[in-house]
Amino acid sequence: MRIAVAGGTGVVGTHVVEAVSGAGHEPVVIARSRGVDLTTGAGLDDALDGVSAVVDVSNVTTLSRRTAERFFVRVSENLLAAAHRAGVRHHVLLSIVGVDRSPLGYYRAKLRQEEVVLAGPLPATVLRATQFHEFVDQSLARVPGPVAVVPRMRMQPVAASEVAAHLVEIALGEPQRRAADLAGPQVHEFADLAREVTAARGLRRPVLPVRVPGGAGRAMSDGSLLPAEDGPRGRITFREWLDADVR
């Protein structure tokens, strides 16, 4: 089976491509570096020829709801239209646990993308996952200065490789609209994980947790970004992931 991976060169996308190959199927990487532009649709028809399922893990780095929504809606509409023309049977979208419980602009944009996909012309499945283990490193890199100011946030991070394997398993099965939320094995405070990362990487950088104002901050600190129901859980702990990454 040919499975297309939109955003197949990103953090999660590379793992999805590996998981597709590991399951004995043929991955088709959809990215600008492969001559396909998701925002314009250029190259999509050729890329999706003979594809049975699409896994969309494409992303844009922004905190602007307008920018994020414009990207996600355009990409989804282009993917769905081209996949429909190609006879694709299943569209799988990666989303985020808590997108319906936080007013953060990026989350609102992902929620809008879910709506577009589930109302589209293809049978689809949306998988919401918690933040990846890599999220802590990425967040620290975006905070300049000698002190790492981080949000007060409860999180249940999951390994990107386990998210990828779950996405491929879903893509190979029957469409189910909303899959059960996927999360990691343990709940943590973001600041504690940030301190583990700085220590493991040999960074002498104090971590200062602060409360983000407004509804977005409340959602971060009160557990709204954690799964509300039972569902699949990853096995790789944050410490195991960090130890392996440092090695």
Side-chain angles (χ1 to χ4, degrees):
M1 179 186 296
R2 303 187 81 211
I3 300 178
V5 185
T9 57
V11 172
V12 186
T14 53
H15 286 294
V16 176
V17 170
E18 292 174 1
V20 170
S21 296
H25 299 281
E26 179 186 353
V28 177
V29 177
I30 295 179
R32 283 181 179 171
S33 61
R34 304 301 176 90
V36 184
D37 191 332
L38 288 167
T39 60
T40 65
L44 267 178
D45 286 326
D46 289 338
L48 294 178
D49 184 37
V51 164
S52 296
V54 171
V55 177
D56 183 10
V57 293
S58 60
N59 193 29
V60 60
T61 303
T62 180
L63 293 178
S64 165
R65 175 176 179 175
R66 179 179 297 180
T67 300
E69 188 167 313
R70 182 168 58 243
F71 174 84
F72 289 131
V73 169
R74 185 178 299 164
V75 165
S76 291
E77 289 177 343
N78 287 338
L79 267 175
L80 289 166
H84 184 60
R85 291 192 295 270
V88 172
R89 66 164 187 84
H90 194 180
H91 184 99
V92 181
L93 173 67
L94 176 62
S95 189
I96 311 167
V97 171
V99 288
D100 53 345
R101 300 191 293 268
S102 171
L104 190 68
Y106 181 88
Y107 278 38
R108 295 286 96 184
K110 286 296 291 185
L111 186 61
R112 175 61 183 142
Q113 185 185 28
E114 290 185 7
E115 295 168 350
V116 169
V117 166
L118 293 177
L122 289 184
T125 303
V126 173
L127 172 67
R128 292 178 180 174
T130 52
Q131 289 76 21
F132 312 129
H133 292 324
E134 290 86 350
F135 176 74
V136 180
D137 263 317
Q138 293 167 349
S139 298
L140 289 172
R142 289 194 289 266
V143 181
V147 177
V149 180
V150 301
R152 291 192 180 277
M153 178 179 178
R154 295 183 68 207
M155 59 188 299
Q156 194 169 340
V158 62
S161 59
E162 292 183 306
V163 176
H166 199 63
L167 285 166
V168 173
E169 182 180 341
I170 289 172
L172 294 173
E174 293 300 317
Q176 48 189 301
R177 293 186 64 81
R178 269 290 310 280
D181 291 351
L182 174 64
Q186 299 170 332
V187 177
H188 299 274
E189 291 292 332
F190 182 92
D192 293 337
L193 299 186
R195 293 187 181 101
E196 287 192 38
V197 167
T198 55
R201 308 238 186 266
L203 304 174
R204 295 186 177 182
R205 195 179 183 202
V207 173
L208 176 64
V210 298
R211 175 70 179 268
V212 175
R218 284 194 299 274
M220 290 179 184
S221 61
D222 69 7
S224 292
L225 305 186
L226 304 178
E229 299 176 356
D230 291 337
R233 299 292 179 261
R235 296 183 178 182
I236 301 172
T237 68
F238 185 83
R239 175 59 63 84
E240 289 169 341
W241 170 83
L242 182 58
D243 287 347
D245 193 66
V246 170
R247 286 198 303 269

